[in-house]
Amino acid sequence: MGYLGNHLATIITGIFAAVLTGLWPYFVDFAPILNFVFIMAVPITWFLTFTCWISQKSNDYMHKHASSHAQTEKKSLSNTQTIQTTTSGNQIGLSEIKQVQSELSAELNNLKESVKLKDGEIERLNQEISNLQTLVQIESLKTELANLKMLASKRK
């Protein structure tokens, strides 16, 4: 994290804004254009100072949150032999974890099989829909052909 908590840009911009604010009363009488420059520069530099401060606070918050999440992940990965449950304080052995893992993997395999069956059913239904669309197109063509035959017979 460096000196000043990575707020160096905020501090430099704040010092510049403070200096401009302090010099403003001394240059008011020199030229009206100089007064206009100060009217524009002082609020802009204070706005930049505020923006730098807010962005650094946001960055600090995001990195603090990400690093604490990574630390908890490392802690959970390092505890592989036994896990202490928070509610009862009991120790769970590695064999119990393996048993639960095998049960969950069997359940996952069952879910995968049911998803495959559902996918097959969806594919079959899509094929039926496309067949029905083809039949509808054929019927509309037959109707158009019949209409054309009627028009042709009326012209003769």
Side-chain angles (χ1 to χ4, degrees):
M1 193 180 230
Y3 295 112
L4 307 173
N6 286 337
H7 285 281
L8 187 60
T10 306
I11 291 172
I12 297 298
T13 311
I15 290 171
F16 184 61
V19 167
L20 282 178
T21 305
L23 290 177
W24 189 3
Y26 297 109
F27 289 103
V28 170
D29 296 331
F30 284 116
I33 191 70
L34 202 53
N35 190 27
F36 177 74
V37 169
F38 274 100
I39 287 173
M40 296 302 292
V42 170
I44 289 172
T45 54
W46 282 115
F47 175 75
L48 286 174
T49 303
F50 177 73
T51 305
C52 287
W53 179 74
I54 286 293
S55 65
Q56 187 59 47
K57 284 294 186 183
S58 171
N59 193 21
D60 291 344
Y61 175 78
M62 292 305 291
H63 286 294
K64 180 182 76 167
H65 180 68
S67 66
S68 67
H69 180 66
Q71 288 173 355
T72 57
E73 207 171 282
K74 285 179 185 177
K75 287 179 184 177
S76 66
L77 289 176
S78 67
N79 193 8
T80 57
Q81 289 297 326
T82 59
I83 298 173
Q84 181 174 1
T85 59
T86 57
T87 57
S88 62
N90 295 334
Q91 294 288 328
I92 299 174
L94 187 59
S95 60
E96 293 172 2
I97 292 174
K98 294 285 185 183
Q99 180 184 4
V100 170
Q101 184 180 11
S102 63
E103 290 172 4
L104 289 175
S105 62
E107 188 175 334
L108 180 63
N109 289 335
N110 289 338
L111 286 173
K112 284 181 182 178
E113 288 298 319
S114 68
V115 166
K116 285 179 184 177
L117 292 174
K118 299 286 183 193
D119 286 343
E121 182 72 17
I122 289 171
E123 184 62 35
R124 186 185 63 77
L125 289 173
N126 283 336
Q127 184 63 35
E128 282 185 30
I129 289 170
S130 67
N131 290 341
L132 288 173
Q133 287 174 345
T134 305
L135 289 174
V136 167
Q137 289 171 351
I138 290 171
E139 288 300 319
S140 68
L141 288 174
K142 284 181 182 178
T143 305
E144 284 182 41
L145 186 60
N147 288 338
L148 288 174
K149 284 181 182 179
M150 285 178 54
L151 287 175
S153 65
K154 286 182 181 178
R155 284 189 183 172
K156 288 184 181 182

